[in-house]
Amino acid sequence: MKLVLASKNEHKLKEMQDILSALGVEVVLERDVGVDVDVEETGETFEENAYLKASAVMRASGLPAVADDSGLCVSGMNGGPGVYSARFGGEGLTDPERCTLLLDMMRGQLDRSCKFVSAICCCFPDGTKVTAYGECKGTLAYAPKGQDGFGYDPIFFVPGEKKTFAELTPEEKNAISHRGIALREFARLLAEKVAADGKEN
């Protein structure tokens, strides 16, 4: 089965490929199937945004499309930046600049609890969809640490690992991350769908 990832993010592609390849699922980027879709993320939840992206790319490509919408929810910011994580501080900022802005806004805050959230939606041309959700709890670091990962990974500290996401290996991160949890649940549900479809045919 081939799924089109409704994203231009190579990091997300690799994380999906690492987990879904075991199922015999090939995940490709939009450009690999000649599609370039810009979706306005107007949803108020991660689930809504994932659906908006997946359904748009599915319609444009005619192939099953999968989307992940994820973000960082910080208790001391009333759950923000949340669904606005990728656009936090404005469109022109780099990932390190967003991390710096967030840390500056949280300076002096004692409650540094936070969580990463991931919602995955896969839309199929037959009108069906598969959705999954995952979250990983942690605390906000006081300064960026680590060279791996992307986005807010350098400032997301996992107490159980005593490391930030950016200090973990890809395998360590996939084992506990919000996207890893959501992807494993998605893989389970996708396998059930494939089995059910096979029985019907």
Side-chain angles (χ1 to χ4, degrees):
M1 178 187 292
K2 178 186 286 189
L3 300 181
V4 183
L5 175 60
S7 172
K8 298 168 180 65
N9 189 319
E10 300 271 1
H11 296 288
K12 285 188 178 183
L13 176 68
K14 183 169 188 328
E15 287 186 3
M16 287 209 174
Q17 286 175 330
D18 286 347
I19 291 174
L20 296 180
S21 61
L23 273 182
V25 175
E26 179 188 6
V27 187
V28 298
L29 290 173
E30 297 172 30
R31 66 167 182 254
D32 297 326
V33 294
V35 170
D36 185 6
V37 180
D38 279 319
V39 181
E40 194 173 349
E41 296 179 28
T42 55
E44 294 182 2
T45 65
F46 295 109
E47 290 87 348
E48 288 174 5
N49 282 331
Y51 172 73
L52 288 172
K53 291 186 282 190
S55 59
V57 171
M58 181 272 292
R59 289 193 299 271
S61 66
L63 295 167
V66 61
D68 155 89
D69 196 57
S70 53
L72 180 65
C73 303
V74 181
S75 298
M77 294 179 65
N78 296 316
V83 294
Y84 305 106
S85 292
R87 307 184 291 282
F88 179 60
E91 295 287 351
L93 292 189
T94 63
D95 285 347
E97 288 170 339
R98 284 196 179 87
C99 289
T100 299
L101 175 61
L102 183 56
L103 291 180
D104 286 346
M105 292 176 70
M106 284 292 292
R107 189 173 287 129
Q109 283 271 9
L110 295 179
D111 182 3
R112 302 185 74 81
S113 59
C114 56
K115 64 180 178 179
F116 263 132
V117 172
S118 171
I120 293 174
C121 180
C122 186
C123 291
F124 296 84
D126 65 2
T128 60
K129 67 177 181 175
V130 174
T131 59
Y133 176 90
E135 64 178 52
C136 179
K137 293 181 179 178
T139 61
L140 202 63
Y142 287 91
K145 226 175 161 185
Q147 301 300 316
D148 291 323
F150 61 99
Y152 298 97
D153 286 359
I155 61 172
F156 185 81
F157 184 78
V158 186
E161 301 292 326
K162 295 184 171 57
K163 293 179 180 179
T164 67
F165 262 8
E167 294 179 287
L168 299 175
T169 66
E171 293 76 21
E172 289 171 333
K173 181 184 171 186
N174 283 343
I176 63 170
S177 78
H178 53 307
R179 191 172 296 111
I181 292 167
L183 276 172
R184 284 187 289 277
E185 173 66 2
F186 171 70
R188 183 184 70 79
L189 295 171
L190 185 62
E192 286 181 1
K193 175 180 165 50
V194 170
D197 289 348
K199 287 178 182 177
E200 290 175 8
N201 294 333

